[in-house]
Amino acid sequence: MKTSVVGYPRIGKTRELKFASEKFFKGEISEVELKNVAKEIRKANLLKQKDAGIDFISSNDFSFYDNVLDTAFLLNVIPARYKQLGLGETETYFALARGYQAEKGNVKALAMKKWFNTNYHYIVPEFEDDTEVKLNASKPVSEFKEAKALGVDTKVQLIGPFTLLKLAKYTGDKKLEDFKDKVTDAYAALLEQLGAEGAEWAQLDEPYLVRDLTDTDIKLFSDIYNVILAKKSSVKILLETYFGDIRDIYETVISLGFDGIGLDFIEGRKTKELVKEFGFPKDKLLFAGLVNGKNIWRNNYEKTLGELSELKETIGDSVVLSTSCSLLHVPYTLDSETKLTEDYKKHFAFAEEKLVELAGIAELADSSDAAAADAYIENQKLFAGRVDSKDEAVQERVAAIKDEDYTRLPDFFEREKIQKAKLGLPLFPTTTIGSFPQTQDVRKNRQNFRKGLITKEQYEEFNKKKIADCIALQEEIGLDVIVHGEYERNDMVEYFGENLAGYVFTEKAWVQSYGTRCVKPPIIWGDVSRKSPITVPWSKYAKSCTEKPVKGMLTGPVTILNWSFPREDISIKESTLQIALAIRDEVLDLEANGIDIIQIDEAALREKLPLRKSDWYSQYLDWAIPAFRLVHSGVKPETQIHTHMCYSEFTDIIPAIDAMDADVITFEASRSDLQILDSLKENNFKTEVGPGVYDIHSPRVPSVDEIVEALTKMRDRIEDSKLWVNPDCGLKTRGETETKASLINLVEAAKILRA
Ligand code: GLN
Ligand code: ZN
């Protein structure tokens, strides 16, 4: 059996690309030096895969920033405002990615969006009326040749035309339809060129196919590929899909002249069923995505071999074992982990280890007695149990959750009255989202403590001083609801993970998030519980510094789950409930310690919203929203629960957001139009709202007038008694000076409104 890898991580084993890019942006290294670093990364990646015995290895899976942006470049989809800068090719590329602000002009970066259901972000290409689609094949061609020179015959990975057209934005009168033919022709020409260069395979990634498709979409896809496949040169085409199943278009896809089709058997709930029901053509290769490209657990060989033999029964020998998606979404290698013991490590497979798995499984699939092989026996031992992963008390507690535990009483309107009377806040109460600037000294203090250079007492004393100063500042500014500033946190998920039993951490397990930035998600290893109070001492101390109400700050269970590597031995629903119970304990402790307002952030609630609308509730919201309610359902009526989301894209799930049953929700609104507020009104949204009145992602200080204007628009759509005044996200990435100036203006604006 042959093996295939959809794509490989490209940041470099020790994040070489990130560090080199940063140096390049600062002018510390030349373009040639940056390109050499990139070349070394590509070389190492290719040889790793080759040495592991992978048969289908991708080239052109590398990118300096993002491969959707690369595709825009490939087709000359470069908005005029960037071309007008008159920069060279590389500089133009980075101008689109990061914006440009220097002697030649001032242009913002293109928008960035989440890549399907991952935490990777792509750059949104923009088609303008005068966009002239023109092929510039130098990147895929040169990376193919480079690989060939290294002795690796690659399949050339490309984002497919359908996905590209669907993800792009059309800023003028011309729409997708108007660019379709040109784009199709460019791909056809590209394939011809690749064929001429000696490429045997091209892999066209069309993940958009796993979404809900309309008849128009299906026609668009067929139109494009009918042309491409009719013009087809010598190069074979692998149509690659991932992040779900292609139930809306499976029959069409298998009827077209592709040479190979990649299907996701991990996230594609219906993939197996589709293949069974509609069959699979004998003249094509099926690239079966059975090794999870997104998660970090070892593959269960018994299960995978079972799937493979079932597939063989239905469709014969033309099966290639593949990753379920690009390995971009997992870290490089376990070799870099020095602190985790073998007891833990043996259960994980990062990119390099997945190569070994692919080759190993393929070999077993060909053997007559796989179950007797050492590799198989060793593998199966992993699934008999894991050290430190079970906690019966936690499991019993989850099993004992009753329906009424998901409901807070009395109902919202009753509580609203009680809270208004108790808290006595003015109209348009002012507050912040929680964090204050994490200045150099704050980070240094944390690092020193981690390195053992200072004692716990010294570490805490410093933070207390910071909290006291932060509160004095908020009082001076005149904010109504005070926060402690979150100086003890590096990251809103890692911090809680570190303080919960059931988590493990890595040192170098970085995963690309946007550009060359990476995140290092913690791993949910076992049953999760709270070891001891986490934030209580800080909030208690903060409360002792002021007479004003102090808001306690927590991260919600859905966000904690979504920004971790989840378990595979229990459902993510079950894991989320365990986390919810742990955070619930913290909520109740905060309340018992006199904290009257508690914010439970759900910054990543939308992250795992299924790609198909039809699955939104049944596969996700139906348990995620109750899990959030479980966290706060035990508090007294007078305790006010806030939640926060970093975005306002919930127009289509407003009832679900309201059903979180928080008392107040803050979210981003300053950058988006106010459409969300119209929708809230239409939906009779009951929760009080704090739509961010200014954008904290920029150092700009908003004027009083500007904030008054934003608030005035909000008042047209939200009852005065429900409107809060706050920035749109935490202030930790901001400087101290602009933060103070901005908040002074914010409080002033609220006062003007009250008057
Ligand atoms: N409370 C967090 C903060 O203020 C929220 C962060 C976020 O929403 N991403 O930093
Ligand atoms: Zn936020």
Side-chain angles (χ1 to χ4, degrees):
M1 177 168 293
K2 293 211 157 131
T3 52
S4 176
V5 171
V6 174
Y8 209 67
R10 56 183 189 231
I11 194 77
K13 200 164 170 172
T14 51
R15 287 185 294 161
E16 296 90 322
L17 186 64
K18 171 188 161 70
F19 300 118
S21 307
E22 284 166 0
K23 283 197 186 131
F24 172 68
F25 298 146
K26 283 193 219 144
E28 291 169 13
I29 62 169
S30 69
E31 187 176 327
V32 173
E33 286 170 292
L34 173 65
K35 288 190 168 160
N36 280 336
V37 170
K39 197 171 171 177
E40 287 306 314
I41 292 174
R42 290 195 295 265
K43 180 177 168 188
N45 286 353
L46 289 165
L47 296 181
K48 248 303 157 221
Q49 295 176 80
K50 187 177 179 220
D51 291 347
I54 303 300
D55 302 291
F56 290 88
I57 299 171
S58 287
S59 58
N60 199 41
D61 54 351
F62 176 80
S63 177
F64 277 102
Y65 203 91
D66 164 49
N67 42 354
V68 179
L69 177 62
D70 295 345
T71 317
F73 257 75
L74 175 83
L75 303 171
N76 192 39
V77 183
I78 302 169
R81 58 187 186 279
Y82 299 97
K83 291 201 157 171
Q84 277 152 11
L85 296 169
L87 305 169
E89 196 173 297
T90 305
E91 263 191 304
T92 306
Y93 178 85
F94 285 121
L96 268 77
R98 313 173 61 239
Y100 180 87
Q101 198 168 11
E103 69 278 8
K104 290 181 181 158
N106 186 346
V107 188
K108 281 205 288 186
L110 287 176
M112 211 159 49
K113 275 200 174 152
K114 259 164 45 69
W115 177 242
F116 297 87
N117 54 2
T118 71
N119 194 18
Y120 175 77
H121 298 72
Y122 68 94
I123 299 280
V124 184
E126 267 179 36
F127 282 84
E128 296 175 327
D129 283 350
D130 51 8
T131 296
E132 195 195 330
V133 176
K134 217 168 46 188
L135 179 66
N136 169 8
S138 60
K139 180 178 183 289
V141 167
S142 71
E143 289 183 20
F144 169 75
K145 284 191 181 160
E146 178 189 271
K148 199 164 172 91
L150 289 166
V152 188
D153 256 311
T154 53
K155 56 181 160 72
V156 182
Q157 184 192 25
L158 300 160
I159 304 278
F162 176 72
T163 296
L164 179 86
L165 286 164
K166 291 297 288 182
L167 296 181
K169 198 162 126 185
Y170 303 85
T171 57
D173 293 332
K174 288 197 195 162
K175 298 289 170 235
L176 188 158
E177 271 298 312
D178 303 302
F179 293 101
K180 180 187 88 182
D181 294 342
K182 281 267 164 34
V183 167
T184 304
D185 291 346
Y187 273 86
L190 169 62
L191 292 168
E192 196 177 325
Q193 210 172 323
L194 291 172
E197 296 290 350
E200 194 189 345
W201 285 88
Q203 170 185 309
L204 291 169
D205 288 10
E206 293 286 14
Y208 205 94
L209 295 182
V210 310
R211 308 194 71 128
D212 291 316
L213 300 177
T214 62
D215 290 345
T216 319
D217 291 332
I218 295 173
K219 179 164 181 316
L220 173 69
F221 180 87
S222 311
D223 287 353
I224 292 172
Y225 280 99
N226 275 323
V227 173
I228 289 179
L229 292 163
K231 287 194 187 162
K232 204 173 84 153
S233 57
S234 57
V235 67
K236 292 184 189 144
I237 299 181
L238 159 60
L239 177 82
E240 187 61 67
T241 67
Y242 39 80
F243 304 143
D245 60 64
I246 58 168
R247 68 187 81 152
D248 292 340
I249 199 167
Y250 183 82
E251 286 179 88
T252 309
V253 163
I254 59 170
S255 73
L256 292 170
F258 296 111
D259 302 282
I261 298 172
L263 301 174
D264 181 348
F265 285 76
I266 301 287
E267 282 190 275
R269 275 192 300 130
K270 299 228 159 132
T271 301
K272 217 164 124 179
E273 224 174 287
L274 290 167
V275 176
K276 259 207 187 112
E277 187 173 344
F278 301 104
F280 192 87
K282 292 257 173 302
D283 61 339
K284 304 184 195 312
L285 292 180
L286 169 58
F287 287 69
L290 280 158
V291 170
N292 196 331
K294 260 192 184 171
N295 210 349
I296 43 78
W297 297 92
R298 286 292 311 270
N299 186 282
N300 186 335
Y301 287 6
E302 183 191 10
K303 191 159 168 266
T304 303
L305 288 168
E307 305 262 10
L308 284 172
S309 73
E310 255 184 70
L311 274 178
K312 276 201 202 161
E313 262 166 44
T314 14
I315 67 168
D317 272 337
S318 44
V319 182
V320 176
L321 176 65
S322 173
T323 56
S324 64
C325 61
S326 169
L327 297 177
L328 177 71
H329 309 291
V330 292
Y332 260 80
T333 174
L334 278 162
D335 278 354
S336 312
E337 301 302 323
T338 59
K339 297 213 173 106
L340 281 173
T341 63
E342 211 31 53
D343 278 345
Y344 291 87
K345 273 165 76 163
K346 67 183 180 196
H347 290 278
F348 302 136
F350 297 172
E352 277 182 17
E353 293 78 28
K354 284 182 194 283
L355 301 178
V356 179
E357 289 198 319
L358 283 164
I361 298 167
E363 200 185 315
L364 291 172
D366 290 337
S367 93
S368 54
D369 190 9
D374 287 347
Y376 183 91
I377 295 166
E378 281 304 312
N379 176 274
Q380 287 308 291
K381 282 189 199 153
L382 296 172
F383 297 90
R386 288 185 273 119
V387 292
D388 303 333
S389 70
K390 277 215 164 65
D391 183 338
E392 252 153 54
V394 173
Q395 291 174 11
E396 278 163 22
R397 211 176 151 199
V398 171
I401 299 171
K402 294 188 290 297
D403 281 352
E404 54 262 39
D405 296 334
Y406 293 110
T407 310
R408 184 176 171 197
L409 291 173
D411 80 358
F412 174 86
F413 299 97
E414 189 95 2
R415 294 186 326 248
E416 196 179 29
K417 274 185 253 152
I418 298 173
Q419 289 164 18
K420 285 219 189 295
K422 155 116 201 255
L423 294 168
L425 293 167
L427 198 58
F428 312 120
T430 54
T431 190
T432 62
I433 308 304
S435 59
F436 266 69
Q438 289 245 338
T439 40
Q440 202 54 45
D441 54 335
V442 176
R443 272 178 270 150
K444 189 93 217 156
N445 182 50
R446 194 162 47 232
Q447 276 161 19
N448 284 346
F449 177 49
R450 290 202 166 185
K451 286 189 194 142
L453 300 176
I454 54 170
T455 64
K456 189 158 182 267
E457 287 68 35
Q458 284 172 309
Y459 168 74
E460 288 178 353
E461 271 322 301
F462 175 90
N463 273 351
K464 280 188 174 172
K465 172 89 179 52
K466 275 285 174 189
I467 292 175
D469 290 349
C470 181
I471 289 179
L473 175 72
Q474 292 171 74
E475 289 191 324
E476 180 198 329
I477 294 171
L479 287 155
D480 300 308
V481 173
I482 305 292
V483 297
H484 76 285
E486 299 183 21
Y487 298 109
E488 73 287 2
R489 304 181 196 179
N490 38 350
D491 171 283
M492 62 190 291
V493 167
E494 199 174 44
Y495 173 73
F496 284 91
E498 280 168 354
N499 287 286
L500 293 170
Y503 262 92
V504 299
F505 298 89
T506 57
E507 294 156 83
K508 302 274 164 57
W510 297 99
V511 178
Q512 240 170 307
S513 169
Y514 71 92
T516 54
R517 300 233 183 179
C518 298
V519 292
K520 193 158 64 66
I523 301 170
I524 304 178
W525 169 260
D527 294 327
V528 175
S529 64
R530 194 182 67 146
K531 293 181 268 194
S532 55
I534 303 169
T535 63
V536 176
W538 301 118
S539 290
K540 235 172 103 173
Y541 176 72
K543 193 177 154 59
S544 74
C545 299
T546 178
E547 295 296 310
K548 289 195 168 180
V550 167
K551 180 161 72 166
M553 287 296 150
L554 304 173
T555 302
V558 186
T559 296
I560 294 182
L561 182 106
N562 285 352
W563 281 345
S564 307
F565 284 116
R567 284 166 74 172
E568 289 179 348
D569 58 333
I570 65 172
S571 68
I572 56 172
K573 170 184 171 181
E574 173 124 15
S575 268
T576 310
L577 290 175
Q578 294 182 355
I579 301 167
L581 289 171
I583 303 297
R584 178 184 166 99
D585 294 344
E586 185 74 8
V587 166
L588 293 173
D589 266 353
L590 283 171
E591 183 184 60
N593 280 281
I595 306 300
D596 302 325
I597 305 182
I598 301 166
Q599 179 171 309
I600 306 157
D601 290 328
E602 281 293 11
L605 183 96
R606 218 175 187 284
E607 202 112 322
K608 285 212 162 69
L609 194 66
L611 294 170
R612 286 174 193 281
K613 256 190 168 159
S614 46
D615 290 342
W616 279 6
Y617 280 86
S618 64
Q619 301 295 315
Y620 184 65
L621 294 171
D622 283 350
W623 58 262
I625 302 295
F628 180 85
R629 287 203 304 262
L630 180 63
V631 175
H632 69 87
S633 64
V635 298
K636 295 186 224 134
E638 57 267 35
T639 299
Q640 189 170 63
I641 298 294
H642 291 213
T643 187
H644 166 72
M645 284 172 196
C646 298
Y647 48 81
S648 55
E649 294 143 21
F650 49 80
T651 316
D652 34 16
I653 52 167
I654 287 174
I657 303 295
D658 223 9
M660 291 165 81
D661 204 22
D663 298 303
V664 181
I665 176 169
T666 59
F667 56 87
E668 180 216 302
S670 54
R671 278 193 298 182
S672 58
D673 52 75
L674 296 167
Q675 192 206 334
I676 178 72
L677 302 182
D678 290 324
S679 311
L680 295 180
K681 189 173 176 172
E682 278 160 32
N683 283 275
N684 282 320
F685 199 67
K686 68 175 200 302
T687 315
E688 294 186 6
V689 288
V693 295
Y694 76 88
D695 175 12
I696 64 93
H697 305 86
S698 141
R700 219 181 125 258
V701 175
S703 68
V704 176
D705 286 351
E706 190 180 319
I707 301 178
V708 169
E709 195 190 315
L711 284 165
T712 308
K713 286 192 189 139
M714 292 171 188
R715 287 179 70 189
D716 291 342
R717 297 157 172 95
I718 295 164
E719 281 171 49
D720 284 356
S721 63
K722 283 196 190 289
L723 185 58
W724 286 67
V725 180
N726 46 263
D728 70 350
C729 195
L731 302 163
K732 73 170 173 215
T733 56
R734 289 275 60 89
E736 288 180 303
T737 321
E738 77 238 22
T739 295
K740 183 172 176 186
S742 302
L743 292 176
I744 287 176
N745 289 355
L746 177 146
V747 168
E748 184 56 29
K751 283 188 184 151
I752 292 175
L753 248 67
R754 286 172 203 153

